Amino acid sequence: MDWNYLLGTPELADIVGRLNGDGHLQLRFNKHGNPDKYLVSFYSKDINEINDMIKKFKDLFNVGYCLYPDNRKTKRYKLFFTDKNLVLFLSKIGVVVGSKSNNPHLVPEWIFNGNNEVKGAFLKGLFDTEGSIFCEKYNNRWRICINQQKIENEKENAHMYLEQIRKMLADFGVKSSQVRSSPSHFNIRKTGVKTIEVKIRIEKTSFRNFYKHIGFDNIYKQNRLITALNGYVAK
């Protein structure tokens, strides 16, 4: 299947944003150079978010899927797409293969240099899955935030990536903080590798432009954004 005609479309940019946010792409080749493991996965506690992903993939790629409920701790849903050609295509257009915290990556060039419709779709997909919106209890100040965990050796790449996100937000009149890494927010894996948190925040003064040009498809986050714009404090 040839999906190259989708390049440069906001619909495909939205998918890339979601997968590079909270999705996962697995692709492994055997000794003969042939793919022997290929999978797109997406986990969520929100069935509406899962159904939205199913619809997006069906409309764009017309591929089958597998959906499993996971009740081991808190209920969540595990969505899988196992089409080899789709995985190869997604890896080619800039979806990160493997662990996003381990592997360096930037915004795909066709998105970063695309028109505002393409950029806005990518940002919506990214913030829908990876972003958070909250009200700080100690000062009742609203924030929209992107936090990323990155292995310490790839800290520079994380800064470059989030600087790209800042530039794209600025194209819509959305101001964000400088990229920061917090020394107090880190994790030591069982392997001994240290991961650090790298983040940017959007101030409430830019919420209206964010709402107008980007927004959330996630109903919970969109409602919180509207609450913030209406001047209410989150409960």
Side-chain angles (χ1 to χ4, degrees):
M1 179 64 72
D2 183 6
W3 291 294
N4 286 311
Y5 71 94
L6 293 171
L7 275 172
T9 64
E11 292 81 8
L12 186 60
D14 175 88
I15 290 289
V16 174
R18 292 174 193 280
L19 292 178
N20 281 359
D22 202 27
H24 188 66
L25 188 69
Q26 295 182 51
L27 179 60
R28 187 181 68 191
F29 294 88
N30 60 25
K31 63 181 181 180
H32 304 294
N34 299 316
D36 65 357
K37 187 174 185 179
Y38 36 87
L39 180 71
V40 182
S41 58
F42 189 80
Y43 296 177
S44 178
K45 297 177 183 178
D46 185 350
I47 189 61
N48 294 316
E49 192 171 40
I50 290 292
N51 286 334
D52 183 56
M53 285 293 286
I54 291 172
K55 184 178 187 306
K56 288 175 184 292
F57 270 73
K58 182 178 180 180
D59 290 346
L60 280 187
F61 310 118
N62 194 29
V63 294
Y65 64 91
C66 298
L67 177 61
Y68 301 100
D70 184 348
N71 299 312
R72 285 176 294 178
K73 292 183 180 179
T74 57
K75 187 177 182 71
R76 64 174 181 168
Y77 302 91
K78 302 164 74 171
L79 177 62
F80 300 116
F81 301 91
T82 57
D83 186 285
K84 178 176 67 175
N85 291 326
L86 176 61
V87 173
L88 290 170
F89 173 72
L90 292 173
S91 68
K92 183 180 72 173
I93 65 168
V95 175
V96 184
V97 177
S99 169
K100 290 183 283 292
S101 63
N102 290 4
N103 297 326
H105 65 278
L106 297 172
V107 178
E109 186 176 344
W110 67 272
I111 294 175
F112 188 72
N113 293 324
N115 60 36
N116 277 359
E117 193 176 5
V118 168
K119 292 178 183 177
F122 173 83
L123 290 171
K124 175 178 282 191
L126 181 67
F127 277 87
D128 247 12
T129 53
E130 180 115 312
S132 59
I133 176 168
F134 57 92
C135 186
E136 295 175 332
K137 292 183 179 180
Y138 71 93
N139 61 8
N140 294 328
R141 185 174 293 176
W142 283 93
R143 297 277 190 268
I144 298 173
C145 189
I146 285 276
N147 291 1
Q148 288 205 322
Q149 296 293 325
K150 203 78 172 181
I151 60 172
E152 197 169 27
N153 289 347
E154 293 297 343
K155 176 181 174 180
E156 183 177 349
N157 174 255
H159 277 253
M160 291 172 60
Y161 176 68
L162 288 182
E163 284 293 351
Q164 287 186 310
I165 301 302
R166 291 186 70 236
K167 171 64 171 63
M168 293 169 70
L169 289 168
D171 290 340
F172 297 100
V174 177
K175 295 181 181 179
S176 55
S177 69
Q178 295 294 320
V179 181
R180 297 188 179 97
S181 53
S182 174
S184 61
H185 290 78
F186 67 89
N187 183 50
I188 304 295
R189 296 178 177 174
K190 292 180 180 179
T191 58
V193 174
K194 181 179 179 180
T195 62
I196 59 173
E197 183 182 80
V198 183
K199 62 186 177 182
I200 57 172
R201 289 185 173 184
I202 297 171
E203 297 285 346
K204 188 184 173 184
T205 54
S206 286
F207 278 20
R208 191 156 298 281
N209 279 344
F210 186 91
Y211 175 84
K212 180 179 178 181
H213 300 293
I214 301 168
F216 297 103
D217 280 343
N218 181 290
I219 295 172
Y220 172 76
K221 293 179 182 179
Q222 184 74 347
N223 284 341
R224 288 178 74 82
L225 177 56
I226 293 169
T227 295
L229 287 172
N230 287 335
Y232 294 110
V233 176
K235 296 181 178 179

